[in-house]
């Protein structure tokens, strides 16, 4: 269950991203390698992430993930290999916090969508997750925090 849903305005921000369009079953294997590739590319260009890891989903599809694994960046990125310059768009968004492991994140999305229906709000289609506290920091899974962002039709 997500905690503390709110509706707010988000601003566009630049990212270094790897676009992926993969079957759902390949998500976990592809995600980790994309993160390592992004970090290596940024380091090779003398850049560092300016915020936590993001998974930006362009459109939901039943059998495929069509998304970008990305890090916010503040410097000029030179596209290299699969790494491209991209953005997370501005808009009115519903934001909620998922606490805990990633295997239960689908339930948090469903609960957020139910909350939006109760509020009379309509999703625009795209959404993103910001992994603000995760396993890379060596924390217990109960301390992991993922910010869920569902863009809304204004």
């Amino acid at each position: 269950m997500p905690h503390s849903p709110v509706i707010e305005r988000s601003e566009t921000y630049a990212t270094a991203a790897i676009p992926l369009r993969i079957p759902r079953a390949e998500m976990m294997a592809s995600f980790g390698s994309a993160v390592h590739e992004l970090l290596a590319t940024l380091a090779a260009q003398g850049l560092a992430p300016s915020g936590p890891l993001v998974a930006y989903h362009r459109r939901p599809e039943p059998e495929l993930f069509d998304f970008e694994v990305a890090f916010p960046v503040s410097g000029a990125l030179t596209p290299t290999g699969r790494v491209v310059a991209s953005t997370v768009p501005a808009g009115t968004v519903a934001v909620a916090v998922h606490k805990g492991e990633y295997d239960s994140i689908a339930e948090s999305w469903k609960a957020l969508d139910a909350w939006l229906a109760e509020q009379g709000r309509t999703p625009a289609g795209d959404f993103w997750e910001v992994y603000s506290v995760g396993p890379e920091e060596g924390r217990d899974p109960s301390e992991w925090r993922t910010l869920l962002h569902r863009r809304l039709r204004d």
Side-chain angles (χ1 to χ4, degrees):
M1 181 72 158
H3 298 274
S4 308
V6 296
I7 295 176
E8 62 187 35
R9 180 84 185 155
S10 70
E11 298 303 321
T12 299
Y13 58 91
T15 62
I18 294 179
L20 297 171
R21 185 174 164 84
I22 56 174
R24 286 181 177 268
E26 295 177 20
M27 180 14 172
M28 293 310 294
S30 298
F31 200 94
S33 64
V35 170
H36 293 295
E37 186 176 343
L38 281 166
L39 290 172
T41 299
L42 290 173
Q45 294 186 25
L47 300 170
S50 61
L53 180 66
V54 176
Y56 173 62
H57 297 259
R58 290 182 284 276
R59 62 189 151 274
E61 296 187 32
E63 299 301 320
L64 293 173
F65 275 128
D66 183 2
F67 73 112
E68 295 177 351
V69 178
F71 280 104
V73 291
S74 56
L77 174 77
T78 302
T80 304
R82 298 189 306 163
V83 179
V84 299
S86 190
T87 60
V88 173
T92 302
V93 295
V95 182
V97 178
H98 168 77
K99 296 180 179 180
E101 296 188 54
Y102 304 132
D103 61 356
S104 62
I105 207 163
E107 289 81 26
S108 289
W109 277 114
K110 287 177 188 173
L112 177 57
D113 288 341
W115 181 82
L116 284 171
E118 291 171 6
Q119 304 302 309
R121 300 305 299 255
T122 305
D126 59 341
F127 59 95
W128 59 97
E129 299 168 347
V130 176
Y131 305 98
S132 58
V133 178
E136 66 283 349
E137 294 154 350
R139 298 206 183 171
D140 182 278
S142 67
E143 296 179 13
W144 296 357
R145 300 291 179 266
T146 306
L147 301 175
L148 310 179
H149 295 79
R150 171 85 68 199
R151 199 155 59 90
L152 305 174
R153 294 185 188 185
D154 287 327

